């Protein structure tokens, strides 16, 4: 039971931080130059672009 509580204590802030980061990126893209938005439009959840730092 203690492990489940520790997991929840670690997971909840991580999920909140992830949502905040996504929202900040969306806000940046809304205000971005149209050309940059077009370049980034192809990126998404199913993007085949390698993750940064990937070999």
């Amino acid at each position: 039971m203690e492990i489940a509580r520790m997991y929840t204590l670690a997971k909840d802030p991580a999920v909140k931080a992830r949502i905040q980061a996504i929202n900040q990126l969306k806000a940046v893209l809304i205000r971005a130059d149209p050309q940059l938005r077009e370049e980034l439009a192809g990126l998404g959840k199913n993007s085949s672009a390698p993750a940064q730092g990937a070999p």
Side-chain angles (χ1 to χ4, degrees):
M1 192 64 166
E2 183 68 21
I3 292 174
R5 187 176 74 82
M6 290 175 58
Y7 173 77
T8 302
L9 286 173
K11 181 183 173 205
D12 289 348
V15 170
K16 184 177 179 181
R18 178 181 179 270
I19 292 169
Q20 287 177 337
I22 290 169
N23 289 339
Q24 287 176 347
L25 286 170
K26 286 180 180 180
V28 167
L29 289 176
I30 288 170
R31 294 178 186 94
D33 181 55
Q35 182 180 0
L36 177 60
R37 279 192 301 222
E38 286 183 24
E39 288 179 30
L40 299 176
L43 301 178
K45 290 182 180 180
N46 298 325
S47 176
S48 61
Q52 194 166 9

